[in-house]
Amino acid sequence: MNNGCMIDLRTPGELDAMRPAGRFVASVLEATRAASVPGANLLEIDALAHRMITAARAESCYIDYHPSFGASPFGKVICTSVNDAVLHGLPHDYRLAKGDLLSLDFAAKVDGWVSDSAVSFVVGGDESPQDHALIATVEEALARGIAAAQPGGRLGDISAAIGEVAHAAGYSVNLQFGGHGVGTEMHGDPHVPNDGRAGRGFPLRPGLVIAIEPWLMVGTDEIYTDDDGWTLRSADGSRTAHVEHTVAITPDGPLVLTARG
């Protein structure tokens, strides 16, 4: 049962064709992270990503993106979420300060195939113990979620693995936004919640490609939308972090298409 969802399974040849998009998305996140130093403007980071898209003859998944929850087309090519912003951070005229907690989320299409990935880090490199714990938790949740993406398993195995890490570290989990299917479009079925029960949900079959994306907030599981109509912030103003990889299920286990480094 897929409850009416349209879920595509990719052939080995199609998975090979998706690899360039994954490599490109990884390269843009590496470049924009390196450029995210104290004093850098969020609009400069967006412009760098835009130049890389143009040079690669890729397509932005964000600039014309206008889902029901967005106030208008996004208009930029990368999400830059700072401190209490956790998702969909709209780049604006803001200069990063040492100690800011920044999440970069980027998706692009190369030769008709999409990849999507995100990273969180502290600008300038100095992490408070709280920031270190938060980032370490979302990264561990992502690693555990990927490890659970095994052929023959269920989607709930991934959700349960993520949620287990979050709850063990003392965080609550928001289920309004989560991972998703990836293919010729950025968002597709199935939805991948960041908490759930193992052994439940859609079967994990070879050829399934999903974005796995844990995100957490220090003091709450509630969010609100900023006046810009896009940026989602923690309801209590606490710090946030978000990480993501595009992952293919293969007969040999999970394949991370957006691996960096």
Side-chain angles (χ1 to χ4, degrees), residues 12-171:
E14 288 175 326
L15 292 183
D16 283 342
M18 296 184 77
R19 289 176 183 267
R23 289 194 295 266
F24 175 67
V25 166
S27 71
V28 171
L29 284 179
E30 288 174 334
T32 50
R33 176 172 183 163
S36 298
V37 297
N41 194 300
L42 297 181
L43 295 176
E44 296 170 348
I45 295 167
D46 181 73
L48 170 59
H50 208 156
R51 289 194 300 272
M52 293 182 72
I53 288 171
T54 301
R57 297 183 179 179
E59 298 176 50
S60 170
C61 292
Y62 291 164
I63 197 162
D64 295 322
Y65 185 52
H66 190 189
S68 60
F69 56 81
S72 61
F74 191 72
K76 305 296 181 184
V77 301
I78 191 168
C79 295
T80 54
S81 302
V82 183
N83 295 333
D84 65 323
V86 65
L87 297 173
H88 310 158
L90 186 64
H92 59 285
D93 185 12
Y94 174 80
R95 292 198 176 276
L96 292 167
K98 186 177 177 65
D100 279 343
L101 203 168
L102 176 63
S103 298
L104 299 174
D105 187 1
F106 181 72
K109 182 181 288 189
V110 176
D111 297 329
W113 297 102
V114 170
S115 270
D116 191 1
S117 188
V119 62
S120 289
F121 56 94
V122 174
V123 175
D126 290 342
E127 296 177 337
S128 70
Q130 185 184 67
D131 288 343
H132 176 78
L134 176 62
I135 294 170
T137 300
V138 290
E139 289 179 343
E140 175 63 17
L142 178 58
R144 292 275 295 276
I146 292 170
Q150 298 291 337
R154 294 274 179 168
L155 201 64
D157 300 345
I158 299 172
S159 299
I162 293 170
E164 181 179 330
V165 172
H167 294 305
Y171 299 98

Side-chain angles (χ1 to χ4, degrees), residues 204-223:
L204 299 178
R205 298 169 179 157
L208 180 66
V209 182
I210 52 176
I212 301 175
E213 52 177 317
W215 57 279
L216 294 171
M217 302 171 286
V218 169
T220 184
D221 61 2
E222 297 182 5
I223 54 177

